[in-house]
PDB file of all heavy atoms in Angstrom:
ATOM      1  N   LYS A 191     132.884 -26.314 -26.433  1.00 98.00           N
ATOM      2  CA  LYS A 191     132.452 -24.916 -26.566  1.00 98.00           C
ATOM      3  C   LYS A 191     130.861 -24.783 -26.538  1.00 98.00           C
ATOM      4  O   LYS A 191     130.177 -25.723 -27.112  1.00 98.00           O
ATOM      5  CB  LYS A 191     132.970 -24.224 -27.834  1.00 98.00           C
ATOM      6  CG  LYS A 191     134.438 -24.334 -27.969  1.00 98.00           C
ATOM      7  CD  LYS A 191     135.237 -23.549 -26.872  1.00 98.00           C
ATOM      8  CE  LYS A 191     136.751 -23.572 -27.197  1.00 98.00           C
ATOM      9  NZ  LYS A 191     137.395 -23.029 -26.051  1.00 98.00           N
ATOM     10  N   TYR A 192     130.464 -23.633 -26.025  1.00 98.00           N
ATOM     11  CA  TYR A 192     129.161 -23.245 -26.117  1.00 98.00           C
ATOM     12  C   TYR A 192     129.146 -22.185 -27.281  1.00 98.00           C
ATOM     13  O   TYR A 192     129.835 -21.084 -27.102  1.00 98.00           O
ATOM     14  CB  TYR A 192     128.664 -22.540 -24.849  1.00 98.00           C
ATOM     15  CG  TYR A 192     127.782 -21.435 -24.836  1.00 98.00           C
ATOM     16  CD1 TYR A 192     126.601 -21.404 -25.527  1.00 98.00           C
ATOM     17  CD2 TYR A 192     127.951 -20.213 -24.018  1.00 98.00           C
ATOM     18  CE1 TYR A 192     125.658 -20.297 -25.512  1.00 98.00           C
ATOM     19  CE2 TYR A 192     127.178 -19.137 -24.136  1.00 98.00           C
ATOM     20  CZ  TYR A 192     126.059 -19.189 -24.808  1.00 98.00           C
ATOM     21  OH  TYR A 192     125.147 -18.069 -24.757  1.00 98.00           O
ATOM     22  N   TRP A 193     128.324 -22.411 -28.284  1.00 98.00           N
ATOM     23  CA  TRP A 193     128.296 -21.409 -29.384  1.00 98.00           C
ATOM     24  C   TRP A 193     126.888 -21.416 -30.006  1.00 98.00           C
ATOM     25  O   TRP A 193     126.698 -22.477 -30.790  1.00 98.00           O
ATOM     26  CB  TRP A 193     129.535 -21.806 -30.527  1.00 98.00           C
ATOM     27  CG  TRP A 193     129.588 -20.568 -31.403  1.00 98.00           C
ATOM     28  CD1 TRP A 193     129.333 -20.590 -32.704  1.00 98.00           C
ATOM     29  CD2 TRP A 193     130.296 -19.361 -31.147  1.00 98.00           C
ATOM     30  NE1 TRP A 193     129.618 -19.393 -33.351  1.00 98.00           N
ATOM     31  CE2 TRP A 193     130.240 -18.539 -32.384  1.00 98.00           C
ATOM     32  CE3 TRP A 193     130.842 -18.812 -30.054  1.00 98.00           C
ATOM     33  CZ2 TRP A 193     130.779 -17.282 -32.229  1.00 98.00           C
ATOM     34  CZ3 TRP A 193     131.455 -17.520 -30.063  1.00 98.00           C
ATOM     35  CH2 TRP A 193     131.339 -16.810 -31.221  1.00 98.00           C
ATOM     36  N   GLY A 194     126.118 -20.511 -29.752  1.00 98.00           N
ATOM     37  CA  GLY A 194     124.761 -20.554 -30.281  1.00 98.00           C
ATOM     38  C   GLY A 194     123.736 -20.763 -29.296  1.00 98.00           C
ATOM     39  O   GLY A 194     123.880 -21.495 -28.197  1.00 98.00           O
ATOM     40  N   LYS A 195     122.564 -20.104 -29.516  1.00 98.00           N
ATOM     41  CA  LYS A 195     121.455 -20.208 -28.449  1.00 98.00           C
ATOM     42  C   LYS A 195     120.250 -20.820 -29.115  1.00 98.00           C
ATOM     43  O   LYS A 195     119.967 -20.555 -30.347  1.00 98.00           O
ATOM     44  CB  LYS A 195     121.204 -18.758 -28.039  1.00 98.00           C
ATOM     45  CG  LYS A 195     122.318 -18.054 -27.365  1.00 98.00           C
ATOM     46  CD  LYS A 195     121.840 -16.556 -27.078  1.00 98.00           C
ATOM     47  CE  LYS A 195     123.148 -15.764 -26.892  1.00 98.00           C
ATOM     48  NZ  LYS A 195     123.754 -15.773 -25.618  1.00 98.00           N
ATOM     49  N   LYS A 196     119.485 -21.563 -28.350  1.00 97.00           N
ATOM     50  CA  LYS A 196     118.199 -21.984 -28.937  1.00 97.00           C
ATOM     51  C   LYS A 196     117.115 -20.971 -28.392  1.00 97.00           C
ATOM     52  O   LYS A 196     115.993 -21.020 -28.944  1.00 97.00           O
ATOM     53  CB  LYS A 196     117.890 -23.573 -28.561  1.00 97.00           C
ATOM     54  CG  LYS A 196     117.888 -23.846 -27.111  1.00 97.00           C
ATOM     55  CD  LYS A 196     117.735 -25.302 -26.979  1.00 97.00           C
ATOM     56  CE  LYS A 196     118.046 -25.734 -25.413  1.00 97.00           C
ATOM     57  NZ  LYS A 196     118.373 -27.133 -25.356  1.00 97.00           N
ATOM     58  N   ASN A 197     117.301 -20.241 -27.458  1.00 97.00           N
ATOM     59  CA  ASN A 197     116.390 -19.316 -26.797  1.00 97.00           C
ATOM     60  C   ASN A 197     117.136 -18.097 -26.333  1.00 97.00           C
ATOM     61  O   ASN A 197     117.907 -18.229 -25.321  1.00 97.00           O
ATOM     62  CB  ASN A 197     115.523 -19.997 -25.909  1.00 97.00           C
ATOM     63  CG  ASN A 197     114.480 -19.012 -25.135  1.00 97.00           C
ATOM     64  OD1 ASN A 197     114.812 -17.885 -24.767  1.00 97.00           O
ATOM     65  ND2 ASN A 197     113.215 -19.572 -25.152  1.00 97.00           N
ATOM     66  N   ASN A 201     118.327 -17.241 -22.609  1.00 98.00           N
ATOM     67  CA  ASN A 201     119.764 -17.625 -22.810  1.00 98.00           C
ATOM     68  C   ASN A 201     120.041 -19.112 -22.646  1.00 98.00           C
ATOM     69  O   ASN A 201     120.917 -19.531 -21.934  1.00 98.00           O
ATOM     70  CB  ASN A 201     120.671 -16.927 -21.871  1.00 98.00           C
ATOM     71  CG  ASN A 201     121.999 -16.575 -22.573  1.00 98.00           C
ATOM     72  OD1 ASN A 201     122.091 -16.634 -23.802  1.00 98.00           O
ATOM     73  ND2 ASN A 201     123.018 -16.373 -21.750  1.00 98.00           N
ATOM     74  N   LEU A 202     119.270 -19.887 -23.369  1.00 98.00           N
ATOM     75  CA  LEU A 202     119.399 -21.337 -23.447  1.00 98.00           C
ATOM     76  C   LEU A 202     120.328 -21.721 -24.679  1.00 98.00           C
ATOM     77  O   LEU A 202     120.117 -21.182 -25.747  1.00 98.00           O
ATOM     78  CB  LEU A 202     118.154 -22.041 -23.699  1.00 98.00           C
ATOM     79  CG  LEU A 202     116.987 -21.806 -22.506  1.00 98.00           C
ATOM     80  CD1 LEU A 202     115.668 -22.529 -22.820  1.00 98.00           C
ATOM     81  CD2 LEU A 202     117.461 -22.082 -21.059  1.00 98.00           C
ATOM     82  N   PRO A 203     121.335 -22.432 -24.400  1.00 98.00           N
ATOM     83  CA  PRO A 203     122.282 -22.843 -25.510  1.00 98.00           C
ATOM     84  C   PRO A 203     121.907 -23.849 -26.321  1.00 98.00           C
ATOM     85  O   PRO A 203     121.047 -24.593 -26.071  1.00 98.00           O
ATOM     86  CB  PRO A 203     123.496 -23.273 -24.618  1.00 98.00           C
ATOM     87  CG  PRO A 203     122.853 -24.148 -23.398  1.00 98.00           C
ATOM     88  CD  PRO A 203     121.689 -23.250 -23.106  1.00 98.00           C
ATOM     89  N   LEU A 204     122.501 -23.932 -27.605  1.00 98.00           N
ATOM     90  CA  LEU A 204     122.142 -25.028 -28.479  1.00 98.00           C
ATOM     91  C   LEU A 204     122.535 -26.396 -28.018  1.00 98.00           C
ATOM     92  O   LEU A 204     121.886 -27.281 -28.356  1.00 98.00           O
ATOM     93  CB  LEU A 204     122.938 -24.759 -29.847  1.00 98.00           C
ATOM     94  CG  LEU A 204     122.443 -23.602 -30.775  1.00 98.00           C
ATOM     95  CD1 LEU A 204     123.450 -23.488 -31.886  1.00 98.00           C
ATOM     96  CD2 LEU A 204     121.027 -23.773 -31.275  1.00 98.00           C
ATOM     97  N   THR A 205     123.558 -26.318 -27.288  1.00 98.00           N
ATOM     98  CA  THR A 205     124.135 -27.712 -26.746  1.00 98.00           C
ATOM     99  C   THR A 205     124.641 -27.456 -25.231  1.00 98.00           C
ATOM    100  O   THR A 205     124.947 -26.385 -24.750  1.00 98.00           O
ATOM    101  CB  THR A 205     125.422 -28.187 -27.588  1.00 98.00           C
ATOM    102  OG1 THR A 205     126.427 -27.171 -27.306  1.00 98.00           O
ATOM    103  CG2 THR A 205     125.101 -28.182 -29.096  1.00 98.00           C
ATOM    104  N   SER A 206     124.860 -28.552 -24.718  1.00 98.00           N
ATOM    105  CA  SER A 206     125.637 -28.564 -23.353  1.00 98.00           C
ATOM    106  C   SER A 206     127.083 -28.241 -23.636  1.00 98.00           C
ATOM    107  O   SER A 206     127.647 -28.208 -24.908  1.00 98.00           O
ATOM    108  CB  SER A 206     125.608 -29.973 -22.610  1.00 98.00           C
ATOM    109  OG  SER A 206     124.176 -30.163 -22.413  1.00 98.00           O
ATOM    110  N   SER A 207     127.878 -27.910 -22.611  1.00 98.00           N
ATOM    111  CA  SER A 207     129.309 -27.566 -22.787  1.00 98.00           C
ATOM    112  C   SER A 207     130.118 -27.999 -21.559  1.00 98.00           C
ATOM    113  O   SER A 207     129.487 -28.301 -20.507  1.00 98.00           O
ATOM    114  CB  SER A 207     129.492 -26.044 -23.122  1.00 98.00           C
ATOM    115  OG  SER A 207     128.940 -25.379 -22.118  1.00 98.00           O
ATOM    116  N   TRP A 327     127.850 -27.725 -18.282  1.00 98.00           N
ATOM    117  CA  TRP A 327     126.506 -26.877 -18.197  1.00 98.00           C
ATOM    118  C   TRP A 327     125.638 -27.808 -19.112  1.00 98.00           C
ATOM    119  O   TRP A 327     125.812 -28.004 -20.177  1.00 98.00           O
ATOM    120  CB  TRP A 327     126.852 -25.510 -18.872  1.00 98.00           C
ATOM    121  CG  TRP A 327     125.697 -24.690 -19.269  1.00 98.00           C
ATOM    122  CD1 TRP A 327     124.390 -24.773 -18.823  1.00 98.00           C
ATOM    123  CD2 TRP A 327     125.733 -23.612 -20.156  1.00 98.00           C
ATOM    124  NE1 TRP A 327     123.548 -23.875 -19.396  1.00 98.00           N
ATOM    125  CE2 TRP A 327     124.375 -23.190 -20.184  1.00 98.00           C
ATOM    126  CE3 TRP A 327     126.638 -22.948 -20.904  1.00 98.00           C
ATOM    127  CZ2 TRP A 327     123.972 -22.073 -20.921  1.00 98.00           C
ATOM    128  CZ3 TRP A 327     126.319 -21.949 -21.642  1.00 98.00           C
ATOM    129  CH2 TRP A 327     124.966 -21.350 -21.647  1.00 98.00           C
ATOM    130  N   GLU A 329     122.434 -28.174 -21.247  1.00 98.00           N
ATOM    131  CA  GLU A 329     121.678 -27.244 -22.053  1.00 98.00           C
ATOM    132  C   GLU A 329     120.284 -27.044 -21.486  1.00 98.00           C
ATOM    133  O   GLU A 329     119.835 -25.860 -21.457  1.00 98.00           O
ATOM    134  CB  GLU A 329     121.611 -27.658 -23.554  1.00 98.00           C
ATOM    135  CG  GLU A 329     121.014 -29.128 -23.710  1.00 98.00           C
ATOM    136  CD  GLU A 329     120.840 -29.475 -25.092  1.00 98.00           C
ATOM    137  OE1 GLU A 329     120.114 -28.878 -25.898  1.00 98.00           O
ATOM    138  OE2 GLU A 329     121.521 -30.498 -25.566  1.00 98.00           O
ATOM    139  N   GLY A 330     119.602 -28.114 -21.084  1.00 98.00           N
ATOM    140  CA  GLY A 330     118.288 -27.930 -20.571  1.00 98.00           C
ATOM    141  C   GLY A 330     117.284 -27.464 -21.597  1.00 98.00           C
ATOM    142  O   GLY A 330     117.558 -27.314 -22.787  1.00 98.00           O
ATOM    143  N   MET A 367     127.828 -15.412 -32.151  1.00 96.00           N
ATOM    144  CA  MET A 367     127.156 -16.631 -32.140  1.00 96.00           C
ATOM    145  C   MET A 367     125.771 -16.632 -32.784  1.00 96.00           C
ATOM    146  O   MET A 367     125.158 -17.521 -33.282  1.00 96.00           O
ATOM    147  CB  MET A 367     127.206 -17.388 -30.824  1.00 96.00           C
ATOM    148  CG  MET A 367     126.327 -16.633 -29.729  1.00 96.00           C
ATOM    149  SD  MET A 367     126.388 -17.747 -28.246  1.00 96.00           S
ATOM    150  CE  MET A 367     127.899 -17.464 -27.538  1.00 96.00           C
ATOM    151  N   LEU A 370     124.945 -17.572 -36.469  1.00 97.00           N
ATOM    152  CA  LEU A 370     124.814 -19.007 -36.812  1.00 97.00           C
ATOM    153  C   LEU A 370     123.406 -19.285 -37.147  1.00 97.00           C
ATOM    154  O   LEU A 370     123.178 -20.224 -38.040  1.00 97.00           O
ATOM    155  CB  LEU A 370     125.282 -19.781 -35.607  1.00 97.00           C
ATOM    156  CG  LEU A 370     125.447 -21.466 -35.847  1.00 97.00           C
ATOM    157  CD1 LEU A 370     126.326 -21.706 -37.044  1.00 97.00           C
ATOM    158  CD2 LEU A 370     126.088 -21.925 -34.645  1.00 97.00           C
ATOM    159  N   ASN A 371     122.415 -18.586 -36.698  1.00 95.00           N
ATOM    160  CA  ASN A 371     121.084 -18.750 -36.953  1.00 95.00           C
ATOM    161  C   ASN A 371     120.701 -18.617 -38.467  1.00 95.00           C
ATOM    162  O   ASN A 371     119.793 -19.067 -39.044  1.00 95.00           O
ATOM    163  CB  ASN A 371     120.096 -17.912 -36.173  1.00 95.00           C
ATOM    164  CG  ASN A 371     120.074 -18.337 -34.768  1.00 95.00           C
ATOM    165  OD1 ASN A 371     120.189 -19.478 -34.455  1.00 95.00           O
ATOM    166  ND2 ASN A 371     120.053 -17.295 -33.811  1.00 95.00           N
ATOM    167  N   LEU A 376     124.606 -25.538 -41.347  1.00 98.00           N
ATOM    168  CA  LEU A 376     125.849 -25.401 -40.547  1.00 98.00           C
ATOM    169  C   LEU A 376     125.575 -25.557 -39.004  1.00 98.00           C
ATOM    170  O   LEU A 376     126.293 -26.290 -38.283  1.00 98.00           O
ATOM    171  CB  LEU A 376     126.583 -24.097 -40.836  1.00 98.00           C
ATOM    172  CG  LEU A 376     127.945 -23.728 -40.235  1.00 98.00           C
ATOM    173  CD1 LEU A 376     128.855 -24.607 -40.879  1.00 98.00           C
ATOM    174  CD2 LEU A 376     128.260 -22.291 -40.390  1.00 98.00           C
ATOM    175  N   LYS A 377     124.420 -24.969 -38.699  1.00 98.00           N
ATOM    176  CA  LYS A 377     124.040 -24.932 -37.303  1.00 98.00           C
ATOM    177  C   LYS A 377     123.797 -26.462 -36.782  1.00 98.00           C
ATOM    178  O   LYS A 377     124.219 -26.905 -35.758  1.00 98.00           O
ATOM    179  CB  LYS A 377     122.845 -24.087 -37.070  1.00 98.00           C
ATOM    180  CG  LYS A 377     122.265 -24.183 -35.634  1.00 98.00           C
ATOM    181  CD  LYS A 377     121.219 -22.912 -35.506  1.00 98.00           C
ATOM    182  CE  LYS A 377     119.952 -23.289 -35.074  1.00 98.00           C
ATOM    183  NZ  LYS A 377     119.008 -22.228 -34.892  1.00 98.00           N
ATOM    184  N   LYS A 378     123.071 -27.173 -37.778  1.00 98.00           N
ATOM    185  CA  LYS A 378     122.767 -28.561 -37.424  1.00 98.00           C
ATOM    186  C   LYS A 378     123.936 -29.438 -37.325  1.00 98.00           C
ATOM    187  O   LYS A 378     124.038 -30.155 -36.408  1.00 98.00           O
ATOM    188  CB  LYS A 378     121.775 -29.111 -38.559  1.00 98.00           C
ATOM    189  CG  LYS A 378     121.029 -30.233 -38.319  1.00 98.00           C
ATOM    190  CD  LYS A 378     119.997 -30.564 -39.407  1.00 98.00           C
ATOM    191  CE  LYS A 378     119.712 -32.036 -39.367  1.00 98.00           C
ATOM    192  NZ  LYS A 378     119.202 -32.578 -40.559  1.00 98.00           N
ATOM    193  N   TRP A 380     126.972 -28.386 -36.567  1.00 98.00           N
ATOM    194  CA  TRP A 380     127.715 -28.016 -35.390  1.00 98.00           C
ATOM    195  C   TRP A 380     127.060 -28.663 -34.134  1.00 98.00           C
ATOM    196  O   TRP A 380     127.754 -29.218 -33.180  1.00 98.00           O
ATOM    197  CB  TRP A 380     127.687 -26.550 -35.127  1.00 98.00           C
ATOM    198  CG  TRP A 380     127.910 -25.999 -33.845  1.00 98.00           C
ATOM    199  CD1 TRP A 380     127.166 -25.264 -32.902  1.00 98.00           C
ATOM    200  CD2 TRP A 380     129.257 -26.019 -33.242  1.00 98.00           C
ATOM    201  NE1 TRP A 380     127.829 -25.024 -31.853  1.00 98.00           N
ATOM    202  CE2 TRP A 380     129.151 -25.339 -32.029  1.00 98.00           C
ATOM    203  CE3 TRP A 380     130.464 -26.479 -33.647  1.00 98.00           C
ATOM    204  CZ2 TRP A 380     130.278 -25.223 -31.106  1.00 98.00           C
ATOM    205  CZ3 TRP A 380     131.625 -26.337 -32.734  1.00 98.00           C
ATOM    206  CH2 TRP A 380     131.392 -25.762 -31.474  1.00 98.00           C
ATOM    207  N   ILE A 381     125.746 -28.760 -33.976  1.00 98.00           N
ATOM    208  CA  ILE A 381     125.105 -29.396 -32.870  1.00 98.00           C
ATOM    209  C   ILE A 381     125.379 -30.817 -32.763  1.00 98.00           C
ATOM    210  O   ILE A 381     125.733 -31.343 -31.739  1.00 98.00           O
ATOM    211  CB  ILE A 381     123.499 -29.116 -33.008  1.00 98.00           C
ATOM    212  CG1 ILE A 381     123.222 -27.658 -32.766  1.00 98.00           C
ATOM    213  CG2 ILE A 381     122.768 -30.058 -31.987  1.00 98.00           C
ATOM    214  CD1 ILE A 381     121.645 -27.198 -33.100  1.00 98.00           C
ATOM    215  N   LEU A 382     125.389 -31.477 -33.936  1.00 98.00           N
ATOM    216  CA  LEU A 382     125.648 -32.934 -33.971  1.00 98.00           C
ATOM    217  C   LEU A 382     127.015 -33.286 -33.624  1.00 98.00           C
ATOM    218  O   LEU A 382     127.339 -34.101 -32.642  1.00 98.00           O
ATOM    219  CB  LEU A 382     125.284 -33.502 -35.370  1.00 98.00           C
ATOM    220  CG  LEU A 382     123.935 -33.673 -35.729  1.00 98.00           C
ATOM    221  CD1 LEU A 382     123.784 -34.109 -37.170  1.00 98.00           C
ATOM    222  CD2 LEU A 382     123.264 -34.666 -34.826  1.00 98.00           C
ATOM    223  N   THR A 384     128.945 -31.335 -31.826  1.00 98.00           N
ATOM    224  CA  THR A 384     129.335 -30.882 -30.457  1.00 98.00           C
ATOM    225  C   THR A 384     128.834 -31.972 -29.438  1.00 98.00           C
ATOM    226  O   THR A 384     129.488 -32.273 -28.490  1.00 98.00           O
ATOM    227  CB  THR A 384     128.721 -29.535 -30.103  1.00 98.00           C
ATOM    228  OG1 THR A 384     129.296 -28.585 -31.009  1.00 98.00           O
ATOM    229  CG2 THR A 384     128.816 -29.129 -28.679  1.00 98.00           C
ATOM    230  N   LYS A 385     127.679 -32.487 -29.833  1.00 98.00           N
ATOM    231  CA  LYS A 385     127.058 -33.624 -28.951  1.00 98.00           C
ATOM    232  C   LYS A 385     128.024 -34.876 -28.926  1.00 98.00           C
ATOM    233  O   LYS A 385     128.230 -35.353 -27.793  1.00 98.00           O
ATOM    234  CB  LYS A 385     125.613 -33.991 -29.415  1.00 98.00           C
ATOM    235  CG  LYS A 385     124.580 -32.881 -29.077  1.00 98.00           C
ATOM    236  CD  LYS A 385     123.272 -33.338 -29.285  1.00 98.00           C
ATOM    237  CE  LYS A 385     122.372 -32.195 -28.602  1.00 98.00           C
ATOM    238  NZ  LYS A 385     121.056 -32.035 -29.045  1.00 98.00           N
TER     239      LYS A 385
END
Side-chain angles (χ1 to χ4, degrees):
K191 307 294 182 186
Y192 147 51
W193 194 254
K195 304 169 198 281
K196 58 187 170 201
N197 177 312
N201 212 21
L202 304 178
L204 285 177
T205 66
S206 301
S207 55
W327 169 18
E329 58 177 293
M367 69 171 75
L370 188 53
N371 290 325
L376 187 67
K377 179 163 124 178
K378 202 170 151 204
W380 166 247
I381 293 173
L382 287 174
T384 301
K385 286 190 170 162

